Amino acid sequence: MLILGIDTSCDDTAAAIVEDGKKIISNVVSSQDEVHKKYGGIVPELASRRHIELIWPVIKETLRRGNISFDDIAAIAVTNGPGLIGSLLVGVCFAKSISFANQIPLVAVNHLEGHIHAVFLESSPDFPFIALIVSGGHTSLYRVDDFGVYKEIGRTRDDAAGEAYDKVAKLLGFGYPGGPIIDAVSLKGDPLAITFPKANLIGTCDFSFSGLKTAVMNYVRKHPGARKEDISASFQAAVIEVLIDRVSDAVKIEDVNKVILTGGVSANRTLREKMSCRASVDGFELYLPSMHLCTDNAAMVAAAGYHHFIKGNLAKYDLNPRAYLPLVSATG
Ligand code: KG4
Ligand code: ZN
């Protein structure tokens, strides 16, 4: 059963075709980094305009690569939130149009649910597991008991980890997107050079990164000659330590022995390495999607959409995008 996934939640225009929620037939992501680079971050209005230009070429290319026509598609799964409202609107309107024109059922997918399903494109973890979604817009911990059964056990109180990466990169003059640049630069720096604050919100599995961001800013102002490699590595060490400690806490509190790491920041090499070490020490099984499935893509949306479709959770044509859309368990 083939599902066409569409994701335009942020600054990537993405479409993919996935078979039975597992096998990627084709997966196209058109990045807008060139558009936003000179501003040091995403300009929402430019992102939506670019999605309008790219959405049809990206979908056509996805069908072409898979040698598939609309007649072969069982359902269209589209991200309807959370994300940038103008960006989401393009994907949702387009999905509704092609669904209506070709009489193909429509399914709505929460972007966070999509990130969780990235792991099922390459492996099959047993339930229950802990999912750490760590991206530019989110840093959240869920307990996942089945397909569509989620319990939030922690979230950021302010900035997402990816946002902190992007802001610190901008501060250091590295450009956008900052995460991959800090990832690379940190390999040449000393993570012990500077001690940055690590928020520990006692009694919760919540996160906070805004204080860390401010601490880096203050440090840079006070020490203009400091090595950027050391600042990057020390900042990254603070983020990673907190992420790993909270996952380790969640595993113990929820008494589960499987963890999946997903979202753009989970492409970070040091995070992957250090989380793998903690998994061996604490004795939990760790599932890491390939790098290209960590960052935004529509294959993960098609995979999540498949499970909604087989349960009959179809969307209606009054489907609207939502900038804020908490991940809750499916009711169907
Ligand atoms: O999941 P994603 O593609 O989009 C959102 O849903 O937000 O995540 C994008 C975020 C950006 O903040 C980017 O800087 C960060 O993921 N990122 C990384 C790396 N690759 C992407 N952060 C740290 N290390 C990386 N290698
Ligand atoms: Zn994302």
Side-chain angles (χ1 to χ4, degrees):
M1 183 184 290
L2 300 179
I3 309 289
L4 170 65
I6 299 174
D7 187 279
T8 61
S9 57
C10 195
D11 64 334
D12 290 318
T13 317
I17 294 163
V18 171
E19 190 178 341
D20 297 335
K22 287 195 124 333
K23 187 174 171 216
I24 299 178
I25 305 296
S26 63
N27 186 19
V28 178
V29 180
S30 178
S31 156
Q32 298 185 8
D33 287 352
E34 282 310 312
V35 175
H36 304 284
K37 218 176 201 159
K38 59 176 175 281
Y39 305 101
I42 299 165
V43 183
E45 180 59 23
L46 295 182
S48 10
R49 284 168 193 234
R50 195 73 183 123
H51 281 308
I52 292 172
E53 290 165 357
L54 290 172
I55 185 92
W56 183 224
V58 164
I59 291 176
K60 265 201 301 195
E61 177 63 10
T62 305
L63 293 166
R64 194 197 62 76
R65 284 194 200 169
N67 194 21
I68 279 164
S69 77
F70 280 131
D71 293 341
D72 306 317
I73 303 288
I76 297 169
V78 64
T79 301
N80 71 319
L84 300 173
I85 195 69
S87 293
L88 289 164
L89 198 57
V90 177
V92 169
C93 288
F94 209 86
K96 286 203 279 194
S97 311
I98 52 176
S99 155
F100 182 71
N102 298 283
Q103 289 300 296
I104 304 171
L106 183 67
V107 175
V109 171
N110 183 302
H111 185 74
L112 299 178
E113 183 173 36
H115 274 303
I116 291 173
H117 282 76
V119 77
F120 291 101
L121 295 163
E122 296 175 320
S123 50
S124 308
D126 290 332
F127 298 103
F129 57 74
I130 299 293
L132 172 65
I133 306 173
V134 62
S135 71
H138 305 275
T139 304
S140 301
L141 272 168
Y142 290 90
R143 177 191 168 110
V144 184
D145 279 288
D146 202 343
F147 289 111
V149 184
Y150 312 106
K151 182 177 89 169
E152 187 187 89
I153 52 180
R155 62 186 305 167
T156 181
R157 301 264 182 104
D158 39 59
D159 295 345
E163 193 179 342
Y165 265 96
D166 293 336
K167 296 271 166 58
V168 165
K170 189 173 178 180
L171 186 75
L172 295 174
F174 287 161
Y176 174 84
I181 306 173
I182 293 198
D183 183 348
V185 170
S186 295
L187 298 176
K188 294 178 228 143
D190 176 5
L192 301 174
I194 309 150
T195 307
F196 285 125
K198 297 163 195 95
N200 181 6
L201 300 157
I202 295 166
T204 76
C205 283
D206 284 353
F207 305 92
S208 167
F209 295 105
S210 72
L212 169 61
K213 200 178 66 183
T214 310
V216 175
M217 193 172 73
N218 290 337
Y219 186 90
V220 171
R221 280 194 189 138
K222 277 193 207 139
H223 306 87
R227 285 183 78 229
K228 288 185 181 178
E229 292 84 347
D230 290 341
I231 299 172
S232 300
S234 302
F235 156 76
Q236 177 165 281
V239 175
I240 290 177
E241 186 181 315
V242 169
L243 293 175
I244 293 178
D245 283 351
R246 285 303 84 74
V247 164
S248 178
D249 293 344
V251 163
K252 287 174 198 131
I253 295 166
E254 296 294 326
D255 193 22
V256 297
N257 64 355
K258 286 174 197 67
V259 171
I260 72 155
L261 191 56
T262 185
V265 179
S266 63
N268 185 277
R269 284 168 282 181
T270 312
L271 173 61
R272 293 167 81 93
E273 193 188 303
K274 294 217 175 295
M275 192 71 88
S276 302
C277 290
R278 182 64 71 90
S280 321
V281 173
D282 285 7
F284 59 83
E285 230 175 287
L286 180 64
Y287 293 82
L288 294 164
S290 301
M291 307 281 211
H292 72 288
L293 296 174
C294 289
T295 45
D296 284 351
N297 65 86
M300 65 186 198
V301 174
Y306 166 78
H307 292 281
H308 284 300
F309 181 60
I310 57 173
K311 286 183 196 145
N313 290 335
L314 300 186
K316 301 203 179 82
Y317 288 127
D318 61 359
L319 177 71
N320 268 323
R322 303 253 174 259
Y324 173 72
L325 186 67
L327 178 57
V328 292
S329 296
T331 48

